Amino acid sequence: LIIRGDELSIKYPYSDTASPIITNDDNTFTAEFDNRTHSEIDLSIFSLNFNLNNENHITLEIPESFNGSITINSSAGDLNASDVNCILNINIDMGDAYISNCSDTYAKLNTGDISASNISGNINFSTELGDIKVSKCSGSIELLTDKGNIDLMNGDIQNSKCSTNSGNISINYLTANKITINSDQGDITGTELSSGSIDCYSSKGDINLNGLKCDLIDAHTSSGDISLKINSPKEEYNIN
């Protein structure tokens, strides 16, 4: 759990199987769990590495004045982050990530879902096996999943790129300079999209976009149907 706090602090659980040793040396906090887990924090930029059992919960409090970056590496377990203004770098082998009211956020999961809302900075999310859901966002967005669905909605952003090899992509109520959507095996749907350029590609799936406001559209599917409803036709459209 990562939350905003009055000062930089880590709260570890105490139990018979995991009793941490916490030291502070030259503005660096170090914690060890029976030589199984080692975590270090520097006051300007820091990283944490966790390999804990499911019964162990860790709370990291970040002060609002902190303007560095955080890197979280976890082999197993879910992560919750909220109300954090610094840069977040998240790496999880197995587990889900829930993120809200944060700024620039980068997350890479092997197996797990990513859910984010109210992100004020750039977003780069990827998961090998899992779904990605993002809402109420700004900045630039890149979402990638190998096997899973992508749901993006309610944002006024710079650029958006969504890609999945096996899954559906749904984008709704989005304003962006450029929107790029790729699904190798899955359908692409969208409602109320406003953009200077929209590129859609599906190898085996349908493309269904409604309420479009854009200058350029490039929509292609190798095996599927294409349905576009454009509110204000502009200059150039390539549909095949």
Side-chain angles (χ1 to χ4, degrees), residues 46-183:
F46 64 86
S47 63
L48 293 89
N49 297 278
F50 299 127
N51 185 19
L52 304 178
N53 298 325
N54 290 332
E55 69 267 14
N56 295 316
H57 300 279
I58 298 171
T59 300
L60 172 62
E61 294 186 359
I62 306 296
E64 186 175 3
S65 59
F66 181 82
N67 58 2
S69 64
I70 303 171
T71 299
I72 303 291
N73 300 309
S74 175
S75 60
D78 297 338
L79 180 140
N80 290 269
S82 62
D83 301 307
V84 178
N85 294 324
C86 59
I87 298 173
L88 288 178
N89 297 283
I90 301 166
N91 300 285
I92 302 175
D93 288 335
M94 183 177 295
D96 301 329
Y98 305 93
I99 307 159
S100 63
N101 300 311
C102 294
S103 56
D104 294 343
T105 307
Y106 306 89
K108 183 177 181 181
L109 280 61
N110 285 331
T111 301
D113 300 331
I114 303 175
S115 179
S117 62
N118 294 305
I119 307 299
S120 60
N122 296 326
I123 294 174
N124 190 315
F125 294 160
S126 66
T127 176
E128 293 292 329
L129 178 61
D131 299 332
I132 300 176
K133 295 182 179 180
V134 177
S135 63
K136 298 179 181 179
C137 48
S138 62
S140 292
I141 296 177
E142 185 168 355
L143 310 177
L144 171 65
T145 176
D146 186 34
K147 295 181 180 180
N149 301 321
I150 295 176
D151 190 346
L152 173 61
M153 65 182 301
N154 292 333
D156 190 347
I157 64 176
Q158 298 175 10
N159 299 302
S160 169
K161 182 178 181 180
C162 300
S163 179
T164 177
N165 288 326
S166 179
N168 300 321
I169 298 177
S170 177
I171 300 180
N172 301 286
Y173 304 103
L174 191 72
T175 299
N177 296 330
K178 183 176 182 179
I179 298 174
T180 303
I181 312 169
N182 294 298
S183 177

